């Protein structure tokens, strides 16, 4: 085997002939040529890369909204409230996992879009900056904080 094609794996018959464009990055990198969530997406298009960053940004805001929203009224039946909390929890976990998979593309732009999305989402929904100071909230949110 010549040194250019030897990736330290030998010829194991496992279809390891990947070109440089097909290799998955395992370190942070800059650039629009990334795969985010789906094979071939966003591809080499700057517009599609920008769309992927917007999607990641919006997903992060949705996670923050779900973490801080107050949809359940105080007089709601406890069974209905429990079912709604369960659905909201499933959505928050699902969106968080999709967001984590997007960040695992190791693209710096995707990472920054997620970080800024979480920051903006917390500013809007968690910081209390847009709530009147004279109102005393009876609860912080419908769902408990996420934990690692």
């Amino acid at each position: 085997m010549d040194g250019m094609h030897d990736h330290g794996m030998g010829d194991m018959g496992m279809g390891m002939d990947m070109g440089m464009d097909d290799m998955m990055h395992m370190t942070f990198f800059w650039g629009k040529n990334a795969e985010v969530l789906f094979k071939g997406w966003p591809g080499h298009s700057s517009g599609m890369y920008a769309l992927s960053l917007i999607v990641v940004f919006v997903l992060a805001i949705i996670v923050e909204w779900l973490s801080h929203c107050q949809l359940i009224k105080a007089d709601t039946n406890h069974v209905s409230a429990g079912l709604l909390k369960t659905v909201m929890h499933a959505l928050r976990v699902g969106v968080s996992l999709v967001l984590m998979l997007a960040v695992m593309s190791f693209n710096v732009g995707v990472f920054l879009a997620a970080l800024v999305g979480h920051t903006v989402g917390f500013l809007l929904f968690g910081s209390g900056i847009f709530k009147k100071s004279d109102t005393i909230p009876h609860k912080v949110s419908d769902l408990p904080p996420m934990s690692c």
Side-chain angles (χ1 to χ4, degrees):
M1 223 179 224
D2 65 5
M4 188 172 294
H5 291 99
D6 185 6
H7 296 289
M9 301 294 284
D11 185 14
M12 302 173 90
M14 296 176 61
M16 299 301 287
D17 294 335
M18 295 190 302
M20 289 304 286
D21 291 336
D22 295 332
M23 291 184 68
M24 186 173 128
H25 290 273
M26 296 305 289
T27 58
F28 276 116
F29 70 98
W30 284 98
K32 67 176 180 60
N33 297 335
E35 285 189 346
V36 181
L37 297 176
F38 305 104
K39 184 167 179 58
W41 189 69
H44 300 287
S45 166
S46 295
M48 291 303 284
Y49 178 68
L51 178 63
S52 71
L53 297 181
I54 292 167
V55 166
V56 167
F57 176 79
V58 169
L59 288 175
I61 288 176
I62 290 170
V63 169
E64 291 298 326
W65 176 73
L66 286 168
S67 296
H68 297 96
C69 68
Q70 297 177 11
L71 300 177
I72 301 171
K73 306 297 181 213
D75 60 347
T76 303
N77 175 297
H78 75 283
V79 173
S80 298
L83 290 174
L84 183 57
K85 284 182 182 181
T86 302
V87 169
M88 290 171 59
H89 175 74
L91 285 171
R92 181 174 68 175
V93 169
V95 173
S96 295
L97 290 173
V98 168
L99 191 58
M100 178 207 55
L101 290 172
V103 171
M104 285 177 58
S105 69
F106 289 99
N107 182 275
V108 174
V110 172
F111 172 77
L112 291 174
L115 179 64
V116 172
H118 276 291
T119 303
V120 169
F122 182 83
L123 176 70
L124 295 173
F125 308 114
S127 70
I129 197 169
F130 297 109
K131 293 185 181 192
K132 294 180 182 178
S133 61
D134 61 339
T135 60
I136 301 171
H138 64 284
K139 61 181 176 178
V140 176
S141 70
D142 289 331
L143 296 178
M146 290 186 72
S147 60
C148 295

